[in-house]
Amino acid sequence: MVMNDEGQLYTIEGITAGVIMLVTAFTIFNSGLVYTPGDAHISDMQIQQLGYDALQMMDTPADSSPLYESPLAKMIQGNHGDQFKIEFNDYLKKHTGTTEIVDSLEFNATVFNRDGDTPHSYQFSNSTMYETSQLTREPAISVTRYVWITGRPFASGYDTGNQLVLLEVLIWRR
Amino acid sequence: MDAIRRIKDEDAILSIDFLAGFTIFILSLIMVISLVPGVLAGIQSDNIDYDAVAYRTSVILVEDPGAPDNPSWDLMGPYDMEHKADIQRLGLAVSKDTPNILSREKVDKFFNNNLDSGFTFDADDYRDKVIFGELTYLYNISLRLDAESESYYAEGGDVVPTFQYGYMRRLVKVKEPSVAEVKFTSDYIGDLNRTVTNISSDFSVKIPYDVLMDRSVNPAYRIDPQSEPLKINLSNMYSNLSEMDIQSMKFTGMKIYKSLDDGSMIDIPGLYPFENDTYSLTVDGQPYSADGSIPPKSVVPNSTIEMVLYPPLPFSNEITSSLNVNFSFSYEFENSNVTHQYLSGMHQYDYTANVKQPNLADGVMEVVIW
């Protein structure tokens, strides 16, 4: 009955064309890995949590004494950056033996305090290879904690009396 | 006549075949587009998902006291196995105010450290109450304390694969229970007239609940008779006795008394076998029954009597009440011409130097999910 077939599709061609187009669309959507911002932050989050945990553990007194008796407060009070280096390193390295820990974390700790109306900061402690690893390092993660100390660790650049100082530790993989 | 015949030129006319094909295509395309959000979700790498689950699991374990919390889930005994479903979350923290401080009791329960207690968790429990999520995740949860050489592993965990897993490492402290290590100073010595050659006497340890459950003490350091065991160690009992004239000193039994509001004491009955839900009692490492069924035990200079009171301690929900644990001894002395000495007095279980306070032991927990 149909005298002229121009411009017509038959069922089988229609289905074939549909399937081809669908396969193409599906392939396009399914190929290629889309990196979401979350991806990059997961490993940061692990180091950050570890850093926060380590500072919290160091700022927990052994008995029910006030917080200024914690090991961390005493280290800042006595300006014992060397002790901080050893203990903080120990905490970062701790593991149960289930997985292999890559022991390549470096850190640099800074204390921020007030001297009258002037904010003041000084380098409190750092890891052994912190200088040489600066060039090749991955982006650093910052963890902070307010630490309660009862007096000035040294005479200049510090308020007297009870105060909170901010300890900031930058941690990175070398 | 019909319409077809009248139309001579059929160009640009849609046939039924094309309509059918196009409809199928459009329907399928709609289906595919509706699937796109799901397709995109699949594009995200699996790592993200696992890391998030590992993080969530570690937060529940380390920062949450679990549910139910009051009374705590870890007080369930072997008789409560059928109520295991009542546990909603297996958090290990001492309280919600003390993140990263874990309770020793909860740690032992969670890692099935006391297998003979009869109350155990299996892989399904861990998936339902800690890991959550609708997928059946594989896991490896471990805890290592600095003071111990072996790590604890959660039952049913698998060996960690070499890649593609979610990981979280948390630093913790485990709150170890307190111990009253009684040192027998001269305060705990009674004098006996030289003409009398034998005596039976009690040495008691007082556990004042109102002193212990002091809300002003941080839960991380609080001695909590409702959720922690209390230990009493008696040793070096001869250290201040003039032992020259003691012919024999015997441990004859132990009784627990509850103080009443008027100050009087009543004996708590029915606690006699040496090991029960309430306490365990050992003399020189050997189980000792306090009901008199075992003959009195000789006490020599290096003898030790150890007692553990299990939580919740009797009547510890009555916050103003207190408990006295009385250790009974009988003595026989030589008929010598000196004043005889025996153990007497009361040792208070409190926050002073009388008691070795709860110790926070450093440790690390690793949570691996895949």
Side-chain angles (χ1 to χ4, degrees):
Chain A
M1 268 199 294
V2 178
M3 307 306 286
N4 186 345
D5 289 352
E6 284 176 49
Q8 289 199 3
L9 275 173
Y10 290 90
T11 311
I12 193 73
E13 286 93 334
I15 292 174
T16 314
V19 168
I20 290 170
M21 283 188 267
L22 284 175
V23 168
T24 313
F26 193 81
T27 313
I28 289 169
F29 278 123
N30 220 9
S31 64
L33 190 65
V34 177
Y35 282 97
T36 60
D39 237 345
H41 287 276
I42 288 290
S43 57
D44 290 5
M45 193 261 291
Q46 288 168 338
I47 295 176
Q48 192 170 36
Q49 187 64 56
L50 190 67
Y52 275 120
D53 279 356
L55 290 186
Q56 194 199 334
M57 294 295 100
M58 291 170 77
D59 202 17
T60 304
D63 51 30
S64 57
S65 326
L67 275 176
Y68 58 73
E69 293 283 344
S70 76
L72 182 60
K74 283 181 167 171
M75 283 172 204
I76 295 179
Q77 180 86 61
N79 200 22
H80 295 307
D82 46 344
Q83 268 180 33
F84 179 87
K85 175 180 165 181
I86 295 167
E87 279 205 31
F88 195 71
N89 239 331
D90 278 352
Y91 277 116
L92 292 183
K93 277 193 296 199
K94 234 171 234 190
H95 61 103
T96 65
T98 312
T99 54
E100 210 167 304
I101 301 292
V102 181
D103 177 21
S104 65
L105 290 174
E106 300 289 329
F107 64 87
N108 184 18
T110 312
V111 171
F112 295 84
N113 68 301
R114 295 192 71 85
D115 178 18
D117 287 338
T118 326
H120 181 237
S121 72
Y122 59 94
Q123 188 186 32
F124 173 58
S125 182
N126 57 260
S127 56
T128 314
M129 290 173 64
Y130 103 101
E131 249 170 350
T132 50
S133 66
Q134 295 274 13
L135 282 178
T136 55
R137 76 180 198 188
E138 291 182 16
I141 289 108
S142 157
V143 295
T144 56
R145 189 173 179 93
Y146 280 103
V147 184
W148 179 10
I149 60 173
T150 50
R152 50 170 67 184
F154 35 79
S156 67
Y158 239 101
D159 275 353
T160 51
N162 264 323
Q163 58 195 300
L164 281 179
V165 297
L166 180 69
L167 173 68
E168 184 189 37
V169 187
L170 290 179
I171 311 172
W172 65 89
R173 277 204 188 280
R174 66 168 174 264
Chain B
M1 296 295 279
D2 62 316
I4 298 273
R5 277 204 201 158
R6 275 186 279 133
I7 300 168
K8 296 289 182 207
D9 183 1
E10 294 183 53
D11 284 353
I13 288 179
L14 287 178
S15 77
I16 197 81
D17 297 339
F18 175 71
L19 264 182
F22 194 70
T23 309
I24 291 171
F25 168 67
I26 289 294
L27 284 178
S28 315
L29 190 67
I30 289 169
M31 280 171 61
V32 169
I33 287 173
S34 69
L35 284 175
V36 161
V39 171
L40 283 179
I43 288 171
Q44 290 184 331
S45 85
D46 286 344
N47 244 329
I48 294 171
D49 194 26
Y50 290 138
D51 275 321
V53 176
Y55 176 66
R56 180 181 64 199
T57 306
S58 79
V59 170
I60 291 173
L61 284 171
V62 169
E63 299 179 24
D64 178 35
D69 183 30
N70 194 16
S72 182
W73 60 265
D74 62 290
L75 295 181
M76 286 190 171
Y79 309 112
D80 299 319
M81 276 298 266
E82 60 195 276
H83 302 302
K84 206 158 67 164
D86 294 347
I87 301 178
Q88 290 149 19
R89 285 195 317 278
L90 288 172
L92 305 183
V94 168
S95 80
K96 63 183 187 323
D97 305 320
T98 55
N100 297 48
I101 312 280
L102 309 186
S103 147
R104 166 51 83 177
E105 293 292 289
K106 289 178 185 172
V107 166
D108 281 348
K109 270 264 161 57
F110 181 84
F111 289 103
N112 293 339
N113 283 356
N114 302 323
L115 277 178
D116 52 339
S117 79
F119 191 89
T120 54
F121 293 111
D122 55 32
D124 286 340
D125 294 324
Y126 294 128
R127 289 192 184 106
D128 287 352
K129 301 175 201 299
V130 192
I131 302 170
F132 298 105
E134 51 294 352
L135 298 173
T136 307
Y137 292 108
L138 297 177
Y139 60 88
N140 185 315
I141 301 172
S142 54
L143 173 72
R144 180 175 209 141
L145 298 180
D146 289 5
E148 295 175 27
S149 55
E150 295 286 312
S151 300
Y152 305 148
Y153 289 95
E155 187 76 26
D158 288 279
V159 177
V160 179
T162 46
F163 57 93
Q164 286 281 323
Y165 56 80
Y167 177 72
M168 205 66 210
R169 182 155 49 114
R170 301 298 302 263
L171 300 168
V172 297
K173 284 181 190 278
V174 175
K175 181 189 179 192
E176 303 283 2
S178 56
V179 186
E181 284 170 344
V182 182
K183 293 188 176 61
F184 286 94
T185 61
S186 51
D187 293 343
Y188 298 138
I189 305 296
D191 288 337
L192 184 66
N193 194 304
R194 63 187 68 175
T195 56
V196 186
T197 56
N198 63 67
I199 187 173
S200 290
S201 170
D202 285 358
F203 174 77
S204 62
V205 175
K206 183 181 185 185
I207 303 168
Y209 294 143
D210 56 334
V211 174
L212 295 181
M213 285 186 275
D214 179 353
R215 292 277 153 196
S216 67
V217 178
N218 184 323
Y221 309 104
R222 196 182 296 159
I223 298 173
D224 186 354
Q226 286 182 332
S227 65
E228 289 168 11
L230 269 63
K231 293 182 183 172
I232 301 168
N233 284 359
L234 308 183
S235 59
N236 285 327
M237 283 173 268
Y238 276 57
S239 58
N240 263 290
L241 298 176
S242 57
E243 52 183 285
M244 304 300 289
D245 64 337
I246 298 179
Q247 275 185 336
S248 78
M249 173 177 172
K250 283 178 177 160
F251 177 51
T252 55
M254 183 279 306
K255 276 193 171 182
I256 300 177
Y257 295 88
K258 174 188 187 285
S259 70
L260 298 178
D261 289 342
D262 60 2
S264 61
M265 294 287 194
I266 54 158
D267 180 7
I268 301 177
L271 299 173
Y272 289 130
F274 79 94
E275 171 99 50
N276 51 43
D277 279 353
T278 309
Y279 68 85
S280 74
L281 177 66
T282 57
V283 179
D284 294 334
Q286 298 293 315
Y288 186 84
S289 181
D291 62 354
S293 62
I294 296 180
K297 206 135 175 130
S298 275
V299 176
V300 291
N302 60 3
S303 289
T304 54
I305 298 173
E306 287 185 350
M307 178 153 179
V308 184
L309 287 144
Y310 297 119
L313 263 63
F315 305 105
S316 57
N317 51 351
E318 295 174 32
I319 199 158
T320 56
S321 147
S322 70
L323 213 62
N324 271 31
V325 182
N326 283 17
F327 299 92
S328 306
F329 298 95
S330 72
Y331 307 81
E332 282 184 21
F333 299 101
E334 273 175 30
N335 194 2
S336 59
N337 206 16
V338 293
T339 306
H340 309 303
Q341 291 181 318
Y342 61 95
L343 302 181
S344 102
M346 190 170 72
H347 189 87
Q348 178 150 303
Y349 209 112
D350 56 19
Y351 291 107
T352 64
N354 268 346
V355 174
K356 206 171 135 199
Q357 301 296 309
N359 174 35
L360 300 180
D362 267 314
V364 58
M365 176 177 273
E366 286 186 41
V367 178
V368 191
I369 306 275
W370 68 97

